[in-house]
Every structure is written in C-alpha cells, then in structure tokens.
C-alpha cells in the first residue's frame, strides 16, 4: 500500500485520524488459518497502531493475548509485537504437550 497519507481534517469533531499503512497476513505453526494485521499511522504524529483478525488463546492461557500497546514507533514494531507474542504462546503450549489447533485462534469481533 504505502500511498501518501492524507492531511488531517481540521475539525474539532473529527478525532483519532489514522491512515492504513499496510496489511500483513501470516499463518502460525501447524494452524492453517490466515491471520491478518492492519497497521495504521496516526495523522497527527508518527506513531502506529494495529488491528488483528485473530487472537491466540492456547489451553495454557486463561484469556487470549490482546495487543494492548496501541502506540508503536514503526510498522515493524507493531508486527514484531503481535507475531512475537503469538509465537511465544504457541511454543509454550506445544512444549507443554498440547497439539496445535485452529481452536487456539479466536476471531476478532472488531475486525471486518
């Protein structure tokens, strides 16, 4: 993508303006489901945030891991955080003897 970002709209009612920088897709381990991550750049600064299509929740986790820091220095920082957290949980569950399953991936209700 990497199209030129639009200028921010100057109206006090229009807030949280951001521009889609890229969409990244990947699979994790033996799970064939495609996970998508959209990375946005804030128009009022050079910070990045993301949305992801799925979250991981292995049998070892009480809750899925959500990307809580919605403020990164780069596209790579967003992707590294999300993929690193997911891979860590996947490895821990596999090492504990759990068989990878598509059930480990929970679709995001907010990702369309």
């Amino acid at each position: 993508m990497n199209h030129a970002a639009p200028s921010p709209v100057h109206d006090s009612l229009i807030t949280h303006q951001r521009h889609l920088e890229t969409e990244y897709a990947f699979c994790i381990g033996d799970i064939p489901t495609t996970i998508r991550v959209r990375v946005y750049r804030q128009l009022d600064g050079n910070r990045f945030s993301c949305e992801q299509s799925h979250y991981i929740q292995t049998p070892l986790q009480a809750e899925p891991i959500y990307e809580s820091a919605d403020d990164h220095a780069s596209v790579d920082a967003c992707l590294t955080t999300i993929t690193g957290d997911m891979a860590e949980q996947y490895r821990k569950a596999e090492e504990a003897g759990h068989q990878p399953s598509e059930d480990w991936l929970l679709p995001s209700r907010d990702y369309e």
Side-chain angles (χ1 to χ4, degrees):
M1 293 188 179
N2 290 334
H3 302 285
S7 298
V9 172
H10 298 291
D11 184 312
S12 62
L13 292 177
I14 309 301
T15 61
H16 305 291
Q17 297 176 61
R18 56 192 189 149
H19 173 72
L20 180 63
E21 285 287 310
T22 193
E23 181 170 300
Y24 173 78
F26 66 98
C27 293
I28 186 164
D30 293 330
I31 303 173
T33 302
T34 298
I35 301 161
R36 289 181 167 71
V37 179
R38 291 186 193 124
V39 183
Y40 296 88
R41 184 177 65 78
Q42 297 170 5
L43 292 183
D44 62 353
N46 222 7
R47 303 303 291 175
F48 296 83
S49 60
C50 10
E51 296 173 349
Q52 61 195 88
S53 64
H54 295 78
Y55 300 99
I56 193 165
Q57 184 177 9
T58 70
L60 301 180
Q61 298 170 253
E63 295 183 357
I65 289 190
Y66 296 103
E67 217 298 275
S68 58
D70 209 19
D71 182 23
H72 298 276
S74 68
V75 169
D76 288 345
C78 287
L79 297 176
T80 298
T81 298
I82 288 173
T83 58
D85 288 348
M86 291 183 94
E88 178 184 4
Q89 294 305 319
Y90 183 102
R91 282 187 185 99
K92 283 181 181 179
E94 213 174 29
E95 289 166 3
H98 297 282
Q99 186 68 31
S101 167
E102 286 194 67
D103 293 341
W104 292 7
L105 296 181
L106 304 177
S108 170
R109 293 179 299 217
D110 299 327
Y111 193 93
E112 298 174 4

